[in-house]
Amino acid sequence: MNTAMAFVAALLLALRAGSVAGGAPDAARSVPVFEAVPYVTAETSMFGPLIEGAAVDKSGNFYAANFNDTKAATGMAFPAQRLLYRDKAKPRSWFNAIRFDVDAAGVQEAYLGDVENHRVVRVRDPGNSGRFAHSETFCASPDMLQPNDLAMAHSTHRLFLSGMRFTQDSVVGDGDLWTCDALGKARKLGSFRRTNGIELSPDEKTLYVSEASNRGGNVVSNVILAFDVDVHSGDISGKRVFADFAAIDGSGANDVDGMRADAHGNLYVARWGAGKIAKLSSAGALVAYIRLPSIDEVTNLELAGPRGTDLFAVGACKSDPQKGCIDAYSAPVQGRAFSNLHA
C-alpha cells in the first residue's frame, strides 16, 4: 500500500471510530450526539483563520478558502493540502465561497465567491487533470452585498448567492439573495435581514437561506427560510420558516453559517460559536448534533471523500485561532453536491 492509500485508509478508520464514539442521546433534546475527529489540526494546517467555502468536486476531493492564510487563495484539503487557485491579477480578492460544476462538455469548473469585488470567478480544468486555471469573472454586480456563500443547481448550471453586512440592529437590506444563470447574467431575488448559509434540496425544488437578526449589537435570532424555486428561471416563491433555532434548541444567538444537504434531503447546518453541526430532516426537525473537537466557530462544511459521505467542517482552530482547522465525521448518506455531480 503506497503512502497516499495508507493515509486515506487511516482517515476512514478514524472517521468510523469518531462516528460511533459519541452516539449517546442528548438528554435535553433526546437526539443523538456524535463526535467528529480532527482531520487538519493547527500543527498541520496550511489554511488561515478565515477558512471558509467548503466544497467538493466530482472526484470527492475537498476544498476550502483562505489557503496559506491568503484571502485571494483557495486550496484542496483532502486527500492532500495544495493550492487550487490564487488570484494574482486581483490580489485584493477575498474568496469566501466555492462550488463545483461540470459543463456540457464534461469539463470541471470551480466557482469562487469574491466578497470584496462583488463577483463570482470561474476557473476551469479543461484537461480534467485537477489543475484549475483559465479564470474569468463569471457574474458580478456592484449592487451585491458580497457574495458570502453559493449554491449550485447542477441540472441548469444556475448559481444562487447570499450576502450580508453586520449591523448593530438588523434591518431588511442587511442581507440579499441573487441568482446567476448559466451565461453569467446576475439578477437580485430579494432583500432580507442578515443572510448567510444557502443550499438547495436534492431535487432542486427547494432553496434554503439562513436569516439572522441583531439587536444592540447582539445576535438575537437565527432561522432558516425555505422557498419554492424554479432552477430554470431562477424565480422563488412560497417563503416560509423551515427552522427556528430559538424554538429548536434555544440557540438563536448562535449564527447559522454554511449549510449542506445530503442526497436524502437532510440538512447539515454549521452553528457558529457552538462548536457543532446540527442535522435537520427534510421537514426541519432536529435529527442529531455532531460535536467538533477542534472548532468552536465553525464556518462551513461539505460531504466529500471517495463516496461523498465524509463530512468535513471548517473553522478557526480552538488551540490556535490564527490557524484554520478541519474536523471530519462519517455520515450515512452521501452529499447532495457529490451525488448531483454524478447524475
Side-chain angles (χ1 to χ4, degrees), residues 238-313:
K239 175 184 172 183
R240 55 202 180 271
V241 175
F242 172 76
D244 181 342
F245 280 96
I248 288 173
D249 60 6
S251 65
N254 290 105
D255 271 348
V256 172
D257 213 319
M259 306 187 295
R260 298 292 185 264
D262 68 19
H264 287 180
N266 299 300
L267 195 63
Y268 290 86
V269 182
R271 306 308 327 283
W272 193 94
K276 63 185 178 183
I277 305 296
K279 181 181 179 181
L280 306 178
S281 73
S282 59
L286 180 65
V287 174
Y289 295 115
I290 303 162
R291 283 198 294 239
L292 306 174
S294 311
I295 305 164
D296 280 334
E297 297 174 349
V298 54
T299 58
N300 219 319
L301 61 128
E302 182 58 280
L303 290 142
R307 296 180 297 276
T309 56
D310 299 330
L311 188 153
F312 294 98

Side-chain angles (χ1 to χ4, degrees), residues 126-140:
N128 287 327
S129 63
R131 300 292 177 179
F132 289 80
H134 306 279
S135 66
E136 61 180 344
T137 294
F138 171 70
C139 67

